[in-house]
Amino acid sequence: MLEKVRYEGAYPTRRQAEGVMRRVLEALGRQLTGVERVELAARLPREAAAAALIASQIPATRPLTGWGFVKDLSERTGGTPATVRWDTGAVLGVVARIAGDDLVTRIIRQLPDGYALLFGRAQLARAA
């Protein structure tokens, strides 16, 4: 997984890719709840799930939109929103391929608008 993230994000070192992956997965872990969070952690390679602590993160008290997710992560890490958006897409694109369509669909349905794009999918309007 780490090498895929490194390739997708064009990171020059494994260490940089690992840091990005850890930060994005920790942030995602704060947004997910329930069975989807546990399932995602189970599907990720052990080192990614352990490094991210995705199954043990305390969920955020307020859900963030996709843009809010990027903005919050940018503020936490000191990165620019554009860089963090790139990082998020690199990591979550790999996560989507590992997790599979069914789980990613359930995750996107659980989260507020804007996450589909972060997972490399089209953002469809929700039915009223």
Side-chain angles (χ1 to χ4, degrees), residues 62-127:
R62 66 180 172 92
L64 299 171
T65 63
W67 169 243
F69 179 85
V70 169
K71 188 176 171 187
D72 180 66
L73 190 53
S74 174
E75 290 168 0
R76 288 176 185 267
T77 63
T80 67
T83 301
V84 171
R85 171 59 182 93
W86 175 268
D87 294 343
T88 301
V91 173
L92 295 184
V94 172
V95 166
R97 289 191 296 278
I98 292 170
D101 288 337
D102 178 58
L103 179 56
V104 172
T105 297
R106 288 186 290 136
I107 288 170
I108 291 169
R109 284 185 185 146
Q110 181 188 104
L111 296 168
D113 286 340
Y115 283 87
L117 294 173
L118 299 177
F119 279 96
R121 291 186 170 188
Q123 180 69 49
L124 303 176
R126 295 182 190 231

Side-chain angles (χ1 to χ4, degrees), residues 17-88:
E18 185 175 27
V20 166
M21 186 174 72
R22 180 183 46 77
R23 289 187 297 273
V24 170
L25 290 176
E26 285 174 353
L28 181 63
R30 286 190 295 273
Q31 295 300 307
L32 293 178
T33 59
V35 70
E36 288 81 13
R37 187 163 107 177
V38 175
E39 270 189 60
L40 180 59
R43 291 186 189 188
L44 293 176
R46 186 177 311 160
E47 63 276 3
L53 302 171
I54 202 166
S56 65
Q57 286 290 322
I58 298 171
T61 55
R62 66 180 172 92
L64 299 171
T65 63
W67 169 243
F69 179 85
V70 169
K71 188 176 171 187
D72 180 66
L73 190 53
S74 174
E75 290 168 0
R76 288 176 185 267
T77 63
T80 67
T83 301
V84 171
R85 171 59 182 93
W86 175 268
D87 294 343
T88 301

